[in-house]
Amino acid sequence: MTASGEAPHALCVVPIGCGTAQAACHVVRQSITHCCAPDHGSDPAILAAWLANKTPENLAAWITAPDATAWAAYCGEAMVGFALLTRTTLALCYVVPEALHQGVGRALLREAEARARELGLAALELESTRTAEAFYRRNGYEPAGAVQSWAGLQAQPMRKVF
């Protein structure tokens, strides 16, 4: 039971289509704004640059792109996480602040890795924020190149070999 006396909802991760782009966009924007605050330092210009292409229209296009697979993590009816695999890259993996440290990111990562294996990939690549780097390291990813910089943000290329 939760503190409010309600039974907790089980986590469910499912593949999604473009009809969920609005909810996925909300997850991504909430995660970037709140969970990734150490990365953007609450600097309005950096945050605006990061969020600029995170629109429902763009998410719909990314979800339906050739060679893309997307998943949503739900807790009850609420989408609490979103991940997008494009070819050999985990392009997006975000969790809403309320769902951090509850296995949502790990569940999304496992789905993306399973799909990568189904596709015959030998490894999965991603660019991690500094905030998420420890999470990816705990899940078997290692740095795979020099830190990248863009619009005041830093990203560590990472890779996991299967």
Side-chain angles (χ1 to χ4, degrees), residues 80-130:
V80 295
F82 171 76
L84 178 70
L85 178 69
T86 59
R87 295 181 195 92
T88 63
T89 303
L90 181 62
L92 301 171
C93 188
Y94 288 101
V95 175
V96 296
E98 312 79 67
L100 283 178
H101 310 293
Q102 296 177 25
V104 176
R106 185 174 56 248
L108 289 164
L109 193 56
R110 294 296 173 257
E111 290 293 331
E113 290 171 354
R115 178 69 178 141
R117 286 184 185 98
E118 286 174 13
L119 294 171
L121 301 179
L124 187 57
E125 300 170 346
L126 59 89
E127 287 191 1
S128 174
T129 62
R130 291 305 202 181

Side-chain angles (χ1 to χ4, degrees), residues 32-115:
I32 289 171
T33 301
H34 301 289
C35 304
C36 301
D39 295 295
H40 55 71
S42 298
D43 181 308
I46 295 171
L47 184 57
W50 197 351
L51 294 175
N53 68 345
K54 309 306 186 291
T55 65
E57 297 78 19
N58 283 347
L59 268 283
W62 298 340
I63 290 168
T64 59
D67 300 322
T69 307
W71 298 269
Y74 289 92
C75 187
E77 298 293 315
M79 186 185 292
V80 295
F82 171 76
L84 178 70
L85 178 69
T86 59
R87 295 181 195 92
T88 63
T89 303
L90 181 62
L92 301 171
C93 188
Y94 288 101
V95 175
V96 296
E98 312 79 67
L100 283 178
H101 310 293
Q102 296 177 25
V104 176
R106 185 174 56 248
L108 289 164
L109 193 56
R110 294 296 173 257
E111 290 293 331
E113 290 171 354
R115 178 69 178 141

Side-chain angles (χ1 to χ4, degrees), residues 136-153:
Y136 289 116
R137 285 179 182 267
R138 284 191 308 273
N139 284 280
Y141 289 78
E142 297 179 355
V147 171
Q148 306 294 307
S149 295
W150 173 83
L153 294 166

